[in-house]
Amino acid sequence: LALEDPDGGSCRRLLEARTRPVPRPPRDLPEVRVDPSTIRKSIGSGGPGRILLLAAGDYGDLDVAASGEPGRPLVLRAQGEARFRRVVLGGCRWVHLEGLTVRGSIDLTGATDCVVRYCRVELAGGWFAIGVSGRPGTTRAYVADNVVLGPNPWTREAMGAEGRNHGEGIQITGPGNVVCYNRVQGFRDGISTLEESAAQEQVSIDVYGNDVSTCVDDAIEADFTMGNCRVLENRITHAFCGLSSQPGLGGPTWFVRNVMYDVTHCSFKLHRFSQGDVCLHNTVVKIGDGMCCFTWE
């Protein structure tokens, strides 16, 4: 890094950085077997650094209200079909959810360094399947390898912002979040950031390798992102709009090597005077314009 001031003075430094590793619990964490009758007591006792092995059964609504520690997470790992209506990680730190079946939502509002992995989430009603409901957002979440299914049909009446639709598949706000390798289908917006006053420090967000389909508004909505957000190598099938930046607030917002098939409106929605969007090496197969850019709306 070289800094030079035309009024005098200069500085040169060598800086080293590395990417974050994929979060995984250590192999030596103790394992505790739990069922619907014992899970709440088990979460509330024993401290961080444990793996709770969830037996098959109906667990209802769960507010975890506990945390792990750096390198010693609290892990909830399904061993059978562990079914929930809703899971809340509000304010939790270093909690991992693995393999849960949720017929509702997973709420990450206020969570830090939490993981949602290998889960199946089906949203029949409500606003989001995995994500946050607003401020203060979530920090450094890792949401990966999940199947997220919504209720919206692929019909003309459902399409667009004013269509008969509802629900966000994975909705995220806050810094340093990673959303990757998920299959998301049947939502208003498949993967989205928050907008207007609800947007919370939307920087350094990575959305890559996801398979997003049947989204009747936006497949991936990177609206109100604030810097260094990356939307890379996603596959989009059947969407009203493919990639949205409405607007980007200075960027860069990177849209690189995404593939889109059957987008009925615009592939790239760079509206409301969006700033700092970078679109490289994307592939679009659709009727009409594959690439158009109009930012005055």
Side-chain angles (χ1 to χ4, degrees):
L1 175 66
L3 300 176
E4 295 186 6
D5 188 338
D7 297 324
S10 63
C11 179
R12 290 179 177 270
R13 293 183 183 177
L14 178 65
L15 305 178
E16 294 185 2
R18 65 180 62 186
T19 58
R20 285 154 47 197
V22 174
R24 299 196 182 280
R27 296 180 179 273
D28 63 346
L29 291 186
E31 297 181 346
V32 181
R33 297 189 179 276
V34 302
D35 58 35
S37 67
T38 61
I39 184 171
R40 288 162 180 81
K41 181 178 179 180
S42 298
I43 289 174
S45 62
R50 293 171 296 141
I51 299 176
L52 304 184
L53 301 177
L54 279 57
D58 291 313
Y59 289 78
D61 296 335
L62 178 65
D63 188 344
V64 175
S67 292
E69 294 177 348
R72 308 287 292 177
L74 174 63
V75 182
L76 279 66
R77 179 180 295 165
Q79 292 293 284
E81 189 179 19
R83 299 179 294 274
F84 295 81
R85 285 191 301 267
R86 186 170 184 241
V87 180
V88 178
L89 296 182
C92 294
R93 300 170 66 88
W94 297 288
V95 175
H96 295 196
L97 305 179
E98 297 184 359
L100 278 55
T101 299
V102 182
R103 303 288 203 279
S105 64
I106 297 175
D107 192 335
L108 298 168
T109 303
T112 302
D113 291 294
C114 288
V115 172
V116 180
R117 182 164 41 202
Y118 311 133
C119 294
R120 182 181 180 89
V121 185
E122 299 180 16
L123 184 70
W127 189 244
F128 64 86
I130 300 176
V132 297
S133 55
R135 290 177 180 266
T138 186
T139 301
R140 293 187 300 276
Y142 183 77
V143 181
D145 298 290
N146 303 286
V147 175
V148 187
L149 304 177
N152 291 304
W154 184 240
T155 64
R156 180 186 297 272
E157 293 76 18
M159 291 185 187
E162 305 301 324
R164 297 176 186 173
N165 59 61
H166 70 279
E168 309 285 309
I170 299 174
Q171 184 184 62
I172 213 84
T173 191
N177 296 302
V178 176
V179 179
C180 61
Y181 304 122
N182 302 282
R183 180 163 68 88
V184 184
Q185 177 180 326
F187 289 92
R188 173 189 174 93
D189 301 317
I191 299 171
S192 64
T193 50
L194 292 187
E195 304 177 47
E196 305 286 353
S197 61
Q200 175 72 26
E201 199 179 350
Q202 295 185 160
V203 299
S204 298
I205 298 171
D206 289 283
V207 179
Y208 63 90
N210 299 282
D211 190 345
V212 185
S213 64
T214 316
C215 291
V216 291
D217 193 16
D218 300 329
I220 299 177
E221 180 185 275
D223 294 0
F224 287 80
T225 55
M226 302 165 184
N228 208 27
C229 292
R230 298 163 288 262
V231 180
L232 313 174
E233 298 183 344
N234 300 281
R235 181 170 63 181
I236 294 168
T237 310
H238 309 314
F240 183 65
C241 295
L243 302 172
S244 174
S245 181
Q246 185 180 328
L249 302 179
T253 304
W254 302 90
F255 297 105
V256 182
R257 295 193 183 280
N258 300 283
V259 177
M260 290 172 268
Y261 175 80
D262 190 25
V263 176
T264 63
H265 183 38
C266 55
S267 305
F268 301 89
K269 187 169 70 173
L270 314 178
H271 291 183
R272 298 175 71 181
F273 305 99
S274 187
Q275 301 288 318
D277 299 307
V278 182
C279 301
L280 300 171
H281 306 297
N282 298 281
T283 300
V284 180
V285 179
K286 70 182 292 292
I287 295 174
D289 294 328
M291 175 66 186
C292 57
C293 187
F294 42 100
T295 66
W296 57 85
E297 293 184 350

